[in-house]
Amino acid sequence: MEILSTRNLTKEFPGVLALDKVNFNLEEGEIHGLVGENGAGKSTLVKVLSGVYPPTHGEIYIKGEKISFNSPKDSLNLIGVVYQERELIPYFNGIQNLFLGQEKSRIGFLSIKEMMEEALNFAKKYDLEVDLNTPVCQLNSGKQEMITILKILFREPKIMIFDEPTAPLSLKESEILFNLIRQLKEEGITILYISHRLEEIENLCDRISILRNGKMVCTAKKGELSQKEIIELMIDKEFTDQYPIIDRTIGSDLLNVKNYCCIKEGIDDISFHIRAGEIVGFGGLVGSGRTELAKAIFTGTKKDQGIVYLDNQNLKSKKPSHNISQGLVMVPEDRRNEGTLVQLSVSENLSLPHLNNMSSFGFLNFDTIKEHVNNIVKALSIKIFSLKQEVWTLSGGNQQKVSLGKWFGKDAKVWIFDEPTRGIDVESKREIYLIMQKLAKDGCGIWFISSDLRELTAICNRVYIMKDFKIVSEFSKPFDSKALLSAMLGGNIDG
Amino acid sequence: MDKGALKFRSFFIKYGTLLSVLILLIIFSLFVPNFSNPQNLINILRQMALLTIISEGFTMCLIVGELDLSFANVASLSSVVVATMLVNKANPLSAVLLTLLIGFVFGLANGLLITKVGISAMIVTLATGIIAQGLAFMYTKGVSVYGSMPKGFLTLGRGSVGPIPSLVIIMALVVVFFHVLTNRTKVGRYMEATGQNPTAAYLAGISVNLYKILGMIFSSLGAAFVGILLTSRLGSATPTGGAGFLMDGFATSLLGMTVLGLGRASPFGTFIGALLIGLLNNGMTLLGAPYYIQDITKGSIIILAVAITSSQSRKLGK
């Protein structure tokens, strides 16, 4: 039975055709995967289906009846959406978030006890261990995600849409989520599941639809398409190799960290080294301390013990600016808040770290800036229509290129990349891998934090696995993925 | 960091401002003659009543995540409007209601300009505040308003029930009203949700704009109410009578945001903030400190309170 279908659904934004005559349907009780590159229109489709945006043309039918939502309010009890950004009220606890928008009350006064009991019973039904009494801002991202899902479920929607739900989750948490989704399917809820991770889609989904440039390219049953075929359909190009490799020669130590301790960040006695021409992976679960370690060293947080050598110089600084001038740069995980200034233009972002060399007596030298910026845009093939375009208007992949491109021209020796490919499309991922390898080939050392084992094993020379803020093991090529995985999970898989 | 220090810190964050109120009370009682006699304590509450009420309204606009720079001038305008009407023998009840309507209209205009036109609250309320001030001068031609006013109206600001001044009772009612509103009602919860994460609130089906407008209305309405009480207390009104509330109202609410240790505005916190400022004003006056010393002290205390909570919470990583 068809529960939802769209006919020629079109959404136009000024200058962009985000959805182009999309015909799409959901069978009742199925898990339906939706894939596509960033900017293919997946999020727009979700927002049109849930009433956040009205469609420009076309119709949506639910159980054969034409419907039109004017606001998310209208769709709440039919279609629940778990968005990429967690939609929770930070200082509210789980119960308050659960009931948000449909509180139980008598003449306007909240029935607090009643809501508490109902919420606890509801959480028990799905067997999820989450603390519903703590303000959600004090919970970790996995727990927050669970509360978000509970909150949506609580409205008893017929259709649930998950938009990249596993991005912030650890492996263990992802497993819990998949079981939950299967449980929902058994209850008869229809699920639309959006992800960049094709394995997840293959394991979970009954059917797959592929969006490309706002068009629905195809819908196929489970097993009808191989991963390679799916990727080909997504990127509109002959798919050659997801992990391109550039040969590089390995030199001497560029970064050497010995017995590094920073109690404040929870780091106790860590030693490792990165050589010229090497890409060194840092694998581990979310919360294993990889980002904290990188940030502590890059920002020069006061260390309690240990020595950091950068190109044989003792790195003693207490601030990023000193480290940058010594040749250590970082491309942070959160590109929208930490990696770029999204309200500023591409040109302003790319030139920001170089203004000292591009100004005279404090006045900016626009010709030099333009030349520099143009070179980077060309070198990284950043897709923009103007240098003055603001960064928030770019796709994730292009934002990431701006985030790393700002360091070009700094003669950096060691580059820290923190989850550089998270949430960006397949084609951009390839380009990022190439950029990292070119840097290594030119004699830089690459410190590569990633939770994606496949990319780590594909492009790294060595991989350190971190667990509970410690390096638990080191692997060299050729990698044994199973050994890496079990090192990450450790003896205690519940961790 | 050892556990004891952590505990001490989180205790400080949670109760720092409450603690300073307590310490101030003890110091003043020990060293300031007549401070702790019951009459003076009642005086303190009466003196802080108007500031508390206006700050509670202002707190509501902070709760919905906006700002209001117009409330003090709206209070001035309301004060002269109600005074002029009463001196000209208008019916007291309709004079009061009409004045509250002015507050309502200012709040509504602020809210609509912020939500529908999309101008930032700071600019909108700065402009409407200037307009309110201009209207107050226009209405009075720049001079103070005096004359005889109905006795019933004057009781509002001057009367008392037993030993308790009516202003104190009104203040208590206002604080309880807003406290119950934010903690116990749907409307209050929606206002908080709106202020903390408007997108999430919107996606949960909450009319975010409505609650922003409501927050702005509470702020202006509180100001108009205080304008009325001010006239009733003084028996006269001047076109700049409410101006002093701007700085003190901000100070009170900012201090209030440190009370729960979360950087989060709340009616209860604002009351504690007002209490701190009230105690300081009274104690230092009794000590004979000149007004400028009082201002310097108040400013320093605000920085201290905010600095302690924010630096401590930074260390806790929150």
mmCIF file of all heavy atoms in Angstrom, chain B residues 68 70 74 100-117 124 128 209-210 212-221:
data_model
loop_
_atom_site.group_PDB
_atom_site.id
_atom_site.type_symbol
_atom_site.label_atom_id
_atom_site.label_comp_id
_atom_site.label_asym_id
_atom_site.label_seq_id
_atom_site.Cartn_x
_atom_site.Cartn_y
_atom_site.Cartn_z
ATOM 1 N N ASP B 68 15.072 44.729 25.383
ATOM 2 C CA ASP B 68 14.193 45.892 25.369
ATOM 3 C C ASP B 68 14.936 47.087 25.950
ATOM 4 O O ASP B 68 15.327 47.066 27.108
ATOM 5 C CB ASP B 68 12.927 45.593 26.185
ATOM 6 C CG ASP B 68 11.886 46.681 26.005
ATOM 7 O OD1 ASP B 68 12.182 47.694 25.323
ATOM 8 O OD2 ASP B 68 10.782 46.539 26.556
ATOM 9 N N SER B 70 13.473 50.095 25.603
ATOM 10 C CA SER B 70 12.464 51.155 25.659
ATOM 11 C C SER B 70 11.706 51.208 26.975
ATOM 12 O O SER B 70 10.991 52.157 27.239
ATOM 13 C CB SER B 70 11.470 50.981 24.507
ATOM 14 O OG SER B 70 10.698 49.819 24.715
ATOM 15 N N VAL B 74 9.057 54.092 28.387
ATOM 16 C CA VAL B 74 7.631 53.763 28.407
ATOM 17 C C VAL B 74 7.077 54.026 29.806
ATOM 18 O O VAL B 74 5.961 54.536 29.959
ATOM 19 C CB VAL B 74 7.397 52.297 27.977
ATOM 20 C CG1 VAL B 74 5.960 51.866 28.235
ATOM 21 C CG2 VAL B 74 7.757 52.113 26.510
ATOM 22 N N LEU B 100 -2.268 51.433 30.776
ATOM 23 C CA LEU B 100 -1.771 50.079 30.527
ATOM 24 C C LEU B 100 -1.875 49.744 29.041
ATOM 25 O O LEU B 100 -1.011 49.061 28.486
ATOM 26 C CB LEU B 100 -2.563 49.062 31.356
ATOM 27 C CG LEU B 100 -2.280 49.084 32.862
ATOM 28 C CD1 LEU B 100 -3.189 48.103 33.590
ATOM 29 C CD2 LEU B 100 -0.816 48.739 33.147
ATOM 30 N N LEU B 101 -2.941 50.279 28.409
ATOM 31 C CA LEU B 101 -3.114 50.037 26.977
ATOM 32 C C LEU B 101 -1.933 50.620 26.193
ATOM 33 O O LEU B 101 -1.447 50.026 25.234
ATOM 34 C CB LEU B 101 -4.434 50.655 26.502
ATOM 35 C CG LEU B 101 -4.785 50.379 25.037
ATOM 36 C CD1 LEU B 101 -5.047 48.891 24.825
ATOM 37 C CD2 LEU B 101 -5.999 51.193 24.601
ATOM 38 N N ILE B 102 -1.454 51.804 26.637
ATOM 39 C CA ILE B 102 -0.287 52.394 25.978
ATOM 40 C C ILE B 102 0.899 51.445 26.056
ATOM 41 O O ILE B 102 1.582 51.186 25.068
ATOM 42 C CB ILE B 102 0.074 53.747 26.629
ATOM 43 C CG1 ILE B 102 -1.028 54.772 26.323
ATOM 44 C CG2 ILE B 102 1.429 54.261 26.128
ATOM 45 C CD1 ILE B 102 -0.808 56.110 26.977
ATOM 46 N N GLY B 103 1.118 50.872 27.243
ATOM 47 C CA GLY B 103 2.203 49.906 27.399
ATOM 48 C C GLY B 103 2.020 48.732 26.468
ATOM 49 O O GLY B 103 2.944 48.313 25.771
ATOM 50 N N PHE B 104 0.771 48.245 26.430
ATOM 51 C CA PHE B 104 0.460 47.097 25.574
ATOM 52 C C PHE B 104 0.795 47.411 24.117
ATOM 53 O O PHE B 104 1.419 46.617 23.416
ATOM 54 C CB PHE B 104 -1.023 46.749 25.725
ATOM 55 C CG PHE B 104 -1.443 45.592 24.877
ATOM 56 C CD1 PHE B 104 -1.256 44.292 25.311
ATOM 57 C CD2 PHE B 104 -2.033 45.801 23.637
ATOM 58 C CE1 PHE B 104 -1.648 43.220 24.534
ATOM 59 C CE2 PHE B 104 -2.418 44.733 22.849
ATOM 60 C CZ PHE B 104 -2.225 43.434 23.300
ATOM 61 N N VAL B 105 0.398 48.609 23.675
ATOM 62 C CA VAL B 105 0.622 48.987 22.274
ATOM 63 C C VAL B 105 2.123 49.070 21.975
ATOM 64 O O VAL B 105 2.581 48.584 20.939
ATOM 65 C CB VAL B 105 -0.079 50.327 21.955
ATOM 66 C CG1 VAL B 105 0.375 50.858 20.599
ATOM 67 C CG2 VAL B 105 -1.580 50.126 21.967
ATOM 68 N N PHE B 106 2.890 49.648 22.912
ATOM 69 C CA PHE B 106 4.345 49.709 22.690
ATOM 70 C C PHE B 106 4.938 48.308 22.579
ATOM 71 O O PHE B 106 5.742 48.027 21.692
ATOM 72 C CB PHE B 106 5.023 50.492 23.826
ATOM 73 C CG PHE B 106 5.261 51.928 23.464
ATOM 74 C CD1 PHE B 106 4.312 52.891 23.747
ATOM 75 C CD2 PHE B 106 6.427 52.315 22.807
ATOM 76 C CE1 PHE B 106 4.509 54.214 23.394
ATOM 77 C CE2 PHE B 106 6.624 53.633 22.444
ATOM 78 C CZ PHE B 106 5.673 54.590 22.745
ATOM 79 N N GLY B 107 4.526 47.413 23.474
ATOM 80 C CA GLY B 107 5.048 46.055 23.437
ATOM 81 C C GLY B 107 4.684 45.358 22.141
ATOM 82 O O GLY B 107 5.516 44.707 21.498
ATOM 83 N N LEU B 108 3.418 45.541 21.738
ATOM 84 C CA LEU B 108 2.949 44.916 20.506
ATOM 85 C C LEU B 108 3.749 45.447 19.316
ATOM 86 O O LEU B 108 4.206 44.684 18.459
ATOM 87 C CB LEU B 108 1.460 45.205 20.323
ATOM 88 C CG LEU B 108 0.780 44.511 19.159
ATOM 89 C CD1 LEU B 108 0.769 43.004 19.377
ATOM 90 C CD2 LEU B 108 -0.650 45.024 18.979
ATOM 91 N N ALA B 109 3.939 46.774 19.292
ATOM 92 C CA ALA B 109 4.687 47.378 18.178
ATOM 93 C C ALA B 109 6.124 46.847 18.171
ATOM 94 O O ALA B 109 6.629 46.426 17.121
ATOM 95 C CB ALA B 109 4.685 48.906 18.317
ATOM 96 N N ASN B 110 6.759 46.827 19.340
ATOM 97 C CA ASN B 110 8.114 46.275 19.414
ATOM 98 C C ASN B 110 8.147 44.853 18.868
ATOM 99 O O ASN B 110 8.971 44.510 18.032
ATOM 100 C CB ASN B 110 8.612 46.253 20.869
ATOM 101 C CG ASN B 110 9.009 47.641 21.363
ATOM 102 O OD1 ASN B 110 9.305 48.524 20.563
ATOM 103 N ND2 ASN B 110 9.005 47.831 22.670
ATOM 104 N N GLY B 111 7.220 44.045 19.365
ATOM 105 C CA GLY B 111 7.190 42.639 18.987
ATOM 106 C C GLY B 111 6.962 42.459 17.498
ATOM 107 O O GLY B 111 7.623 41.649 16.850
ATOM 108 N N LEU B 112 6.021 43.206 16.944
ATOM 109 C CA LEU B 112 5.723 43.066 15.515
ATOM 110 C C LEU B 112 6.906 43.510 14.669
ATOM 111 O O LEU B 112 7.245 42.879 13.670
ATOM 112 C CB LEU B 112 4.472 43.868 15.141
ATOM 113 C CG LEU B 112 3.154 43.288 15.665
ATOM 114 C CD1 LEU B 112 2.001 44.241 15.376
ATOM 115 C CD2 LEU B 112 2.879 41.924 15.044
ATOM 116 N N LEU B 113 7.532 44.619 15.071
ATOM 117 C CA LEU B 113 8.680 45.096 14.293
ATOM 118 C C LEU B 113 9.820 44.082 14.330
ATOM 119 O O LEU B 113 10.510 43.877 13.337
ATOM 120 C CB LEU B 113 9.162 46.450 14.832
ATOM 121 C CG LEU B 113 8.255 47.633 14.474
ATOM 122 C CD1 LEU B 113 8.607 48.864 15.288
ATOM 123 C CD2 LEU B 113 8.355 47.939 12.979
ATOM 124 N N ILE B 114 9.993 43.430 15.485
ATOM 125 C CA ILE B 114 11.068 42.442 15.589
ATOM 126 C C ILE B 114 10.738 41.195 14.771
ATOM 127 O O ILE B 114 11.544 40.726 13.982
ATOM 128 C CB ILE B 114 11.303 42.050 17.068
ATOM 129 C CG1 ILE B 114 11.883 43.231 17.842
ATOM 130 C CG2 ILE B 114 12.239 40.848 17.167
ATOM 131 C CD1 ILE B 114 11.816 43.072 19.344
ATOM 132 N N THR B 115 9.513 40.666 14.960
ATOM 133 C CA THR B 115 9.211 39.367 14.350
ATOM 134 C C THR B 115 8.757 39.476 12.896
ATOM 135 O O THR B 115 9.155 38.677 12.067
ATOM 136 C CB THR B 115 8.118 38.628 15.141
ATOM 137 O OG1 THR B 115 6.983 39.484 15.221
ATOM 138 C CG2 THR B 115 8.597 38.268 16.521
ATOM 139 N N LYS B 116 7.926 40.453 12.601
ATOM 140 C CA LYS B 116 7.346 40.505 11.251
ATOM 141 C C LYS B 116 8.215 41.298 10.288
ATOM 142 O O LYS B 116 8.360 40.951 9.127
ATOM 143 C CB LYS B 116 5.933 41.110 11.280
ATOM 144 C CG LYS B 116 4.968 40.379 12.177
ATOM 145 C CD LYS B 116 4.562 39.027 11.608
ATOM 146 C CE LYS B 116 3.678 38.299 12.616
ATOM 147 N NZ LYS B 116 3.480 36.904 12.325
ATOM 148 N N VAL B 117 8.748 42.435 10.777
ATOM 149 C CA VAL B 117 9.577 43.240 9.882
ATOM 150 C C VAL B 117 11.019 42.743 9.907
ATOM 151 O O VAL B 117 11.749 42.878 8.931
ATOM 152 C CB VAL B 117 9.507 44.736 10.270
ATOM 153 C CG1 VAL B 117 10.212 45.607 9.240
ATOM 154 C CG2 VAL B 117 8.052 45.167 10.398
ATOM 155 N N VAL B 124 15.050 48.310 17.221
ATOM 156 C CA VAL B 124 13.620 48.603 17.359
ATOM 157 C C VAL B 124 13.340 49.321 18.670
ATOM 158 O O VAL B 124 12.725 50.389 18.705
ATOM 159 C CB VAL B 124 12.787 47.302 17.310
ATOM 160 C CG1 VAL B 124 11.357 47.565 17.758
ATOM 161 C CG2 VAL B 124 12.818 46.710 15.927
ATOM 162 N N THR B 128 11.842 52.975 19.522
ATOM 163 C CA THR B 128 10.544 53.186 20.173
ATOM 164 C C THR B 128 10.737 53.853 21.537
ATOM 165 O O THR B 128 9.888 54.617 21.980
ATOM 166 C CB THR B 128 9.762 51.870 20.345
ATOM 167 O OG1 THR B 128 10.600 50.926 21.003
ATOM 168 C CG2 THR B 128 9.328 51.314 19.001
ATOM 169 N N ASN B 209 6.913 33.373 16.932
ATOM 170 C CA ASN B 209 6.701 34.821 16.844
ATOM 171 C C ASN B 209 5.707 35.314 17.885
ATOM 172 O O ASN B 209 5.910 36.342 18.513
ATOM 173 C CB ASN B 209 6.220 35.205 15.450
ATOM 174 C CG ASN B 209 7.349 35.143 14.447
ATOM 175 O OD1 ASN B 209 8.507 35.038 14.832
ATOM 176 N ND2 ASN B 209 7.002 35.186 13.173
ATOM 177 N N LEU B 210 4.646 34.530 18.076
ATOM 178 C CA LEU B 210 3.642 34.912 19.056
ATOM 179 C C LEU B 210 4.273 35.087 20.440
ATOM 180 O O LEU B 210 4.008 36.064 21.140
ATOM 181 C CB LEU B 210 2.547 33.849 19.104
ATOM 182 C CG LEU B 210 1.466 34.084 20.149
ATOM 183 C CD1 LEU B 210 0.564 35.235 19.709
ATOM 184 C CD2 LEU B 210 0.656 32.821 20.373
ATOM 185 N N LYS B 212 7.458 35.568 21.163
ATOM 186 C CA LYS B 212 8.391 36.707 21.189
ATOM 187 C C LYS B 212 7.602 37.986 21.424
ATOM 188 O O LYS B 212 7.974 38.834 22.246
ATOM 189 C CB LYS B 212 9.156 36.793 19.867
ATOM 190 C CG LYS B 212 10.205 35.716 19.725
ATOM 191 C CD LYS B 212 11.359 36.176 18.856
ATOM 192 C CE LYS B 212 12.384 35.082 18.736
ATOM 193 N NZ LYS B 212 13.610 35.227 19.420
ATOM 194 N N ILE B 213 6.502 38.131 20.693
ATOM 195 C CA ILE B 213 5.674 39.328 20.855
ATOM 196 C C ILE B 213 5.167 39.413 22.291
ATOM 197 O O ILE B 213 5.197 40.469 22.926
ATOM 198 C CB ILE B 213 4.503 39.308 19.853
ATOM 199 C CG1 ILE B 213 5.033 39.438 18.422
ATOM 200 C CG2 ILE B 213 3.505 40.419 20.160
ATOM 201 C CD1 ILE B 213 3.995 39.200 17.343
ATOM 202 N N LEU B 214 4.755 38.257 22.822
ATOM 203 C CA LEU B 214 4.247 38.233 24.190
ATOM 204 C C LEU B 214 5.315 38.704 25.179
ATOM 205 O O LEU B 214 5.039 39.485 26.095
ATOM 206 C CB LEU B 214 3.802 36.810 24.527
ATOM 207 C CG LEU B 214 2.912 36.671 25.753
ATOM 208 C CD1 LEU B 214 1.632 37.464 25.578
ATOM 209 C CD2 LEU B 214 2.586 35.202 26.004
ATOM 210 N N GLY B 215 6.538 38.249 24.988
ATOM 211 C CA GLY B 215 7.639 38.683 25.856
ATOM 212 C C GLY B 215 7.817 40.191 25.805
ATOM 213 O O GLY B 215 7.995 40.841 26.840
ATOM 214 N N MET B 216 7.766 40.751 24.606
ATOM 215 C CA MET B 216 7.912 42.196 24.457
ATOM 216 C C MET B 216 6.750 42.922 25.136
ATOM 217 O O MET B 216 6.922 43.968 25.750
ATOM 218 C CB MET B 216 7.978 42.591 22.973
ATOM 219 C CG MET B 216 9.154 42.033 22.209
ATOM 220 S SD MET B 216 10.752 42.193 23.020
ATOM 221 C CE MET B 216 11.034 43.947 22.928
ATOM 222 N N ILE B 217 5.537 42.334 25.023
ATOM 223 C CA ILE B 217 4.370 42.976 25.645
ATOM 224 C C ILE B 217 4.508 42.972 27.165
ATOM 225 O O ILE B 217 4.239 43.977 27.826
ATOM 226 C CB ILE B 217 3.066 42.267 25.202
ATOM 227 C CG1 ILE B 217 2.783 42.598 23.735
ATOM 228 C CG2 ILE B 217 1.898 42.690 26.091
ATOM 229 C CD1 ILE B 217 1.590 41.880 23.151
ATOM 230 N N PHE B 218 4.957 41.856 27.726
ATOM 231 C CA PHE B 218 5.155 41.805 29.180
ATOM 232 C C PHE B 218 6.129 42.893 29.621
ATOM 233 O O PHE B 218 5.933 43.551 30.643
ATOM 234 C CB PHE B 218 5.687 40.444 29.612
ATOM 235 C CG PHE B 218 4.604 39.438 29.871
ATOM 236 C CD1 PHE B 218 4.617 38.198 29.252
ATOM 237 C CD2 PHE B 218 3.559 39.742 30.743
ATOM 238 C CE1 PHE B 218 3.620 37.262 29.490
ATOM 239 C CE2 PHE B 218 2.562 38.819 30.988
ATOM 240 C CZ PHE B 218 2.589 37.574 30.349
ATOM 241 N N SER B 219 7.179 43.094 28.833
ATOM 242 C CA SER B 219 8.179 44.097 29.204
ATOM 243 C C SER B 219 7.569 45.493 29.228
ATOM 244 O O SER B 219 7.718 46.243 30.193
ATOM 245 C CB SER B 219 9.351 44.031 28.220
ATOM 246 O OG SER B 219 10.360 44.917 28.618
ATOM 247 N N SER B 220 6.860 45.843 28.167
ATOM 248 C CA SER B 220 6.272 47.188 28.098
ATOM 249 C C SER B 220 5.126 47.358 29.088
ATOM 250 O O SER B 220 4.939 48.426 29.673
ATOM 251 C CB SER B 220 5.754 47.463 26.689
ATOM 252 O OG SER B 220 6.811 47.458 25.782
ATOM 253 N N LEU B 221 4.359 46.271 29.259
ATOM 254 C CA LEU B 221 3.231 46.344 30.176
ATOM 255 C C LEU B 221 3.731 46.539 31.606
ATOM 256 O O LEU B 221 3.188 47.354 32.365
ATOM 257 C CB LEU B 221 2.429 45.041 30.066
ATOM 258 C CG LEU B 221 0.936 45.114 30.305
ATOM 259 C CD1 LEU B 221 0.283 46.170 29.449
ATOM 260 C CD2 LEU B 221 0.303 43.749 30.020
#
